[in-house]
Amino acid sequence: MPFELPPLPYDAGALEPYLTRENMELHHDKHHQAYVTNLNKFIEQGKVDGTKSLEEIILASDGPVFNNAAQVWNHTFFWNCMKPGGGGQPLKDLAQAIERDLGSFERFRQEFTDAAVSQFGSGWAWLVLAGGKLQVVKTSNADLPMKHGQVALLTCDVWEHAYYPTYKNVRPKYVEVFLNNLVNWGFVASNFSKAGK
Ligand code: MN3
């Protein structure tokens, strides 16, 4: 069964001025679509069992199959990590867990920013649940927390295609705006509560 590109959970222009419509259309309609198309080609070619779930394929594969399957998952997750009018601070349980495990919300911001800005080349910055504790991690290319036994709660795509159309080479500004204006803390909190805390 072929995989399909899920629609963005908001209009492509809804995150303006923080991410332009052009930026979002390119990222979703071209890049995310390409990963879906590639994964479906591997299924057609018999290199992947198309009856498996995306998660099963990610956990069982490596090389090009893993790269494309993981990027399908990463992008769908990433779109949901943002919303128009996002940013601000997490509420209640999640805010307490951030204080407990990372020291303070400010410390979280600093760690997440450092991870996102210092990731050399393409990759992702994440807030994850690892062994029952919140942790900030970064991954290269398509790599993702589930491959390391961690549960993803929040991510920021730091591949150049994610921010170049809006921010050119200024990745730190993109990361700052992501945290200040885009993060969908409701989605992060729902991931946290689903993970059983
Ligand atoms: Mn991307």
Side-chain angles (χ1 to χ4, degrees), residues 6-173:
L8 285 170
Y10 32 74
D11 184 80
L15 302 183
E16 290 194 338
Y18 306 116
L19 286 169
T20 63
R21 173 181 292 278
E22 179 203 12
N23 195 153
M24 291 299 290
E25 286 179 347
L26 184 72
H27 199 173
H28 175 265
D29 302 354
K30 304 296 180 190
H31 289 273
H32 196 181
Q33 178 66 67
Y35 300 123
V36 173
T37 301
N38 290 339
L39 180 59
N40 286 333
K41 269 189 211 150
F42 292 134
I43 292 171
E44 272 173 40
Q45 293 165 357
K47 291 177 182 163
V48 190
D49 180 352
T51 66
K52 293 262 171 27
S53 70
L54 186 59
E55 288 79 5
E56 287 172 323
I57 292 170
I58 290 167
L59 291 173
S61 64
D62 55 18
V65 170
F66 170 77
N67 287 338
N68 285 279
Q71 285 291 77
V72 172
W73 192 96
N74 287 340
H75 283 88
T76 303
F77 187 79
F78 174 58
W79 308 134
N80 284 289
C81 285
M82 300 188 288
K83 67 168 190 180
Q89 300 216 1
L91 294 174
K92 299 184 217 152
D93 291 2
L94 180 59
Q96 285 173 3
I98 287 174
E99 282 183 26
R100 182 193 68 206
D101 295 338
L102 301 172
S104 66
F105 183 67
E106 267 319 300
R107 284 278 299 276
F108 155 77
R109 278 183 61 95
Q110 193 56 53
E111 277 195 45
F112 193 87
T113 300
D114 289 348
V117 171
S118 70
Q119 170 56 34
F120 187 78
S122 296
W124 301 80
W126 305 85
L127 175 66
V128 302
L129 201 55
K133 284 196 153 192
L134 295 181
Q135 205 180 322
V136 171
V137 299
K138 56 185 176 179
T139 60
S140 292
N141 299 318
D143 195 16
L144 74 177
M146 78 170 77
K147 202 74 171 171
H148 305 276
Q150 303 165 341
V151 179
L153 305 180
L154 168 69
T155 196
C156 181
D157 186 345
V158 297
W159 285 56
E160 288 184 344
H161 68 228
Y163 60 90
Y164 245 71
T166 310
Y167 296 97
K168 303 294 185 271
N169 59 315
V170 191
R171 190 192 290 185
K173 184 64 188 170

